[in-house]
Amino acid sequence: MSEHITGAQSLIRSLEAAGVDVVFGIPGGAILPAYDPLMDSRQVRHILVRHEQAAGHAAEGYAAATGRVGVCMATSGPGATNLVTPIADAHMDSVPMVAITGQVPSHAIGTDAFQEADIRGITMPITKHNFLITDAAEIPHAIAAAFHLAGTGRPGPVLVDISKDALTAATTFHWPDRIHLPGYRLPGAPDPASLAAAARLIVDSRRPVLYVGGGVIRAEAHTELRRLADLTGIPVVTTLMARGAFPDSHPQHLGMPGMHGSVAAVGALQSADLLIAVGTRFDDRVTGRLDTFAPDAQVVHLDIDPAEIGKNREVAVGVAGDARLSLTGLAAALVTEHAAGRTGDYAAWWRSLDSWRTTYPVGYDHPSDGTLSPQFVIETLGRIAGPEAIYAAGVGQHQMWAAQFIRYEHPRTWLNSGGLGTMGYAVPAAMGAKVGRPDATVWAVDGDGCFQMTNQELATCAINDIPIKVALINNSSLGMVRQWQTLFYNERYSQTDLHSHRFPDFVTLAAAYGCHGLRCDSPDEVAATIDKAMSLDDAPVVVDFVVHKDAMVWPMVAAGTSNSDIKVARDLAPDWDRED
């Protein structure tokens, strides 16, 4: 005899059956029935955030740091619409996330009822799939399908919107033994003929580059990537989303390509005769002006999503499939080529690459007035906290400096909003990462602009014993916008001065939220201040680093221009001569 329960109870049992251990959310009228049985769950921990956007970013941070599906929950109307930004963020960066929202009763849908919003329609373009559930019996299958969709293939966000009457209705619970989703097809094994063709292109090339994207991290394919690189001796570049997919310390690593990439990485792509692109989507921030990107290169593109292959750049060989399987198969095909005496000769290529990275290392100058260099702060943080720590960045100059000056040796230690560029991401993402990996040291590297969008989540961290650490790079400005105003708008600084050196007092604000607050404005005190922050684990820590206002991110490729026009300083471009 089946046990009769409510739809809300069925929802919580479904989350338990899916293996969920934490949900980030805020209750409200339409989702309220779910919060009553949630209180009784011995498995699912609920963390009450201060804003639904933070719930979504925390779920993202949890997912990015652990590889598991992150979960957030909100009520109907404004609660659901506050999740739109993190859902879009997860969609752009292929983050596995399930968002559960309450909806007005089914009979009221379409009547402009109180706190009604068509969240399914709103999020249709930014979810991998979404559901509207008005029948309590459908809840277990929808939740099972949502987790399957979010975590398989190319990961992404899935929304499950449940009407209030479905949550209160009587039902029975049955967790599905299998998920049947007509039309949802995962790529099979990578095509051996395509892998063999790719291997022939590689051994015939003279200037190949492994162009690595975040899909390698999502697929847990870093070990296979390392094996392929070691087998071939080919240089490797890792995009902003792929930092940590290949060790910075490896001699074949040229750094990050793109708008603020290293000269060696950008030059390698521009001068290559073959790109082996793995788990990357040829984003405009990497390619610059697309019709001038890597003009002499053929492309081998390995990706889990067939729609990405050839989307932005014509390919010579496309391989749809899981990155681990594709890289393993490509390595095997290359072993066959090597056994037949066909190997690549990259000696001249490496002479050019080594010349570029020796001549144009990513660096910075200390301010002549003795004020604090933000790059020095972040570089010192990376040295002291080390490569085992997790770093979550906001968006802007501090994000680029964190990508440039912290050394990443492991995947899932660098979290940031890449595709959407969401200010306010860092603090809640760091919170989610710390929940998922409580034994890791987690630093949010944030700017004073980003920090003031979501710093209320310090209260969430303090109350729930989530001792993240925040390195606040306080230049009293919207720094990246100010940089563009300096370079392209005749130093007309319209609406970019935040006055953050005076308002608010971040140390006092930290204390008000139950956190430790520290301040540093001297280069001589940076290391000691970071050491102090590292020693404090009983509560979150906020360090207000008061830094020079006019520091800039270099190198830089101006938006809409060719990567060949990269500048290493305001009026200085590299010499692209190379040996062949």
Side-chain angles (χ1 to χ4, degrees):
M1 185 172 180
S2 298
E3 177 190 4
H4 285 277
I5 59 174
T6 65
Q9 290 171 312
S10 179
L11 171 61
I12 303 308
R13 289 195 187 182
S14 297
L15 293 176
E16 292 171 340
V20 174
D21 60 356
V22 63
V23 172
F24 302 91
I26 299 180
I31 196 66
L32 193 57
Y35 272 80
D36 187 65
L38 179 60
M39 194 174 186
D40 297 325
S41 177
R42 296 183 179 181
Q43 176 180 317
V44 181
R45 175 188 183 189
H46 182 273
I47 294 179
L48 176 63
V49 296
R50 278 16 186 196
H51 193 286
E52 290 92 353
Q53 181 179 348
H57 291 320
E60 285 189 277
Y62 174 94
T66 66
R68 300 192 292 272
V69 177
V71 185
C72 55
M73 191 152 65
T75 196
S76 64
T81 58
N82 280 342
L83 288 177
V84 169
T85 294
I87 289 171
D89 195 272
H91 176 70
M92 290 286 279
D93 288 347
S94 301
V95 178
M97 183 172 83
V98 169
I100 299 166
T101 52
Q103 184 53 275
V104 300
S106 57
H107 64 81
I109 293 175
T111 69
D112 294 329
F114 177 67
Q115 290 192 331
E116 181 187 0
D118 179 12
I119 195 61
R120 188 184 187 207
I122 289 168
T123 61
M124 190 72 76
I126 55 170
T127 50
K128 192 172 176 183
H129 192 68
N130 58 29
F131 300 86
L132 172 60
I133 305 301
T134 58
D135 181 350
E138 297 177 0
I139 290 173
H141 184 272
I143 294 298
F147 278 84
H148 177 67
L149 287 163
T152 58
R154 180 179 182 170
V158 178
L159 174 84
V160 182
D161 192 34
I162 310 174
S163 67
K164 188 171 185 177
D165 54 319
L167 291 172
T168 58
T171 187
T172 56
F173 175 77
H174 174 69
W175 187 248
D177 297 325
R178 57 186 295 271
I179 299 297
H180 177 59
L181 298 172
Y184 183 60
R185 297 287 185 270
L186 295 174
D191 176 39
S194 297
L195 292 172
R200 286 192 294 272
L201 286 176
I202 291 171
V203 298
D204 288 341
S205 67
R206 292 296 174 262
R207 300 187 305 277
V209 179
L210 272 161
Y211 163 29
V212 176
V216 169
I217 293 176
R218 299 288 184 254
E220 303 282 2
H222 50 283
T223 301
E224 290 75 15
L225 172 66
R226 174 73 178 265
R227 288 174 184 156
L228 181 66
D230 290 339
L231 173 68
T232 60
I234 293 175
V236 178
V237 301
T238 53
T239 68
L240 180 69
M241 291 304 300
R243 303 292 287 116
F246 192 75
D248 279 354
S249 59
H250 196 287
Q252 288 166 233
H253 192 229
L254 301 180
M256 180 178 70
M259 176 175 277
H260 295 294
S262 70
V263 169
V266 173
L269 294 178
Q270 287 301 96
S271 301
D273 64 0
L274 180 68
L275 302 184
I276 306 103
V278 189
T280 187
R281 57 189 177 85
F282 290 81
D283 175 73
D284 62 285
R285 283 304 193 255
V286 170
T287 66
R289 208 179 88 192
L290 187 59
D291 63 352
T292 67
F293 175 67
D296 300 324
Q298 296 190 82
V299 174
V300 171
H301 195 174
L302 283 59
D303 205 280
I304 188 71
D305 186 352
E308 289 294 348
I309 298 174
K311 184 182 81 174
N312 289 331
R313 175 65 180 259
E314 184 179 351
V315 302
V317 177
V319 181
D322 175 80
R324 294 175 68 181
L325 296 177
S326 295
L327 288 169
T328 299
L330 183 56
L334 282 163
V335 168
T336 300
E337 292 290 324
H338 294 174
R342 293 185 290 271
T343 59
D345 179 5
Y346 313 133
W349 182 221
W350 271 111
R351 285 195 293 272
S352 294
L353 299 173
D354 286 336
S355 173
W356 292 338
R357 65 178 169 185
T358 299
T359 306
Y360 304 106
V362 177
Y364 59 92
D365 295 321
H366 288 276
S368 58
D369 60 2
T371 55
L372 193 52
S373 158
Q375 299 98 318
F376 174 69
V377 170
I378 292 171
E379 183 178 55
T380 306
L381 172 63
R383 176 175 57 80
I384 293 175
E388 305 301 323
I390 296 172
Y391 304 89
V395 169
Q397 288 181 313
H398 63 280
Q399 175 192 26
M400 295 298 107
W401 290 323
Q404 291 175 332
F405 294 108
I406 294 174
R407 305 278 288 180
Y408 299 98
E409 298 294 314
H410 311 292
R412 303 197 183 281
T413 56
W414 164 247
L415 318 179
N416 81 126
S417 171
L420 197 64
T422 305
M423 293 178 68
Y425 170 90
V427 169
M431 175 174 67
K434 184 67 174 176
V435 170
R437 294 179 56 187
D439 295 335
T441 298
V442 180
W443 278 92
V445 181
D446 221 357
D448 49 305
C450 290
F451 182 67
Q452 292 183 83
M453 293 191 173
T454 51
N455 63 25
Q456 71 276 359
E457 300 309 323
L458 291 174
T460 309
C461 291
I463 291 167
N464 291 280
D465 298 319
I466 309 170
I468 67 168
K469 305 178 192 302
V470 181
L472 180 57
I473 309 302
N474 179 6
N475 61 5
S476 197
S477 298
L478 297 172
M480 188 62 85
V481 183
R482 180 182 171 88
Q483 174 166 332
W484 283 43
Q485 288 173 334
T486 298
L487 297 174
F488 309 121
Y489 291 90
N490 299 315
E491 301 182 9
R492 288 166 56 85
Y493 299 117
S494 174
Q495 302 303 316
T496 47
D497 189 345
L498 293 172
H499 303 281
S500 305
H501 289 173
R502 295 184 296 152
F503 308 112
D505 181 331
F506 289 116
V507 173
T508 302
L509 181 67
Y513 277 128
C515 305
H516 299 286
L518 307 172
R519 179 175 287 116
C520 178
D521 59 9
S522 168
D524 296 336
E525 298 172 357
V526 170
T529 304
I530 294 171
D531 283 335
K532 175 68 173 176
M534 291 288 289
S535 72
L536 298 170
D537 284 323
D538 60 324
V541 184
V542 177
V543 186
D544 180 15
F545 289 105
V546 182
V547 301
H548 188 68
K549 193 169 191 173
D550 288 313
M552 291 198 186
V553 183
W554 299 109
M556 181 177 180
V557 178
T561 67
S562 170
N563 281 355
S564 297
D565 298 326
I566 188 173
K567 288 183 169 54
V568 294
R570 188 164 187 174
D571 298 310
L572 182 62
D575 180 357
W576 289 113
D577 290 341
R578 70 164 193 266
E579 300 179 52
D580 280 311

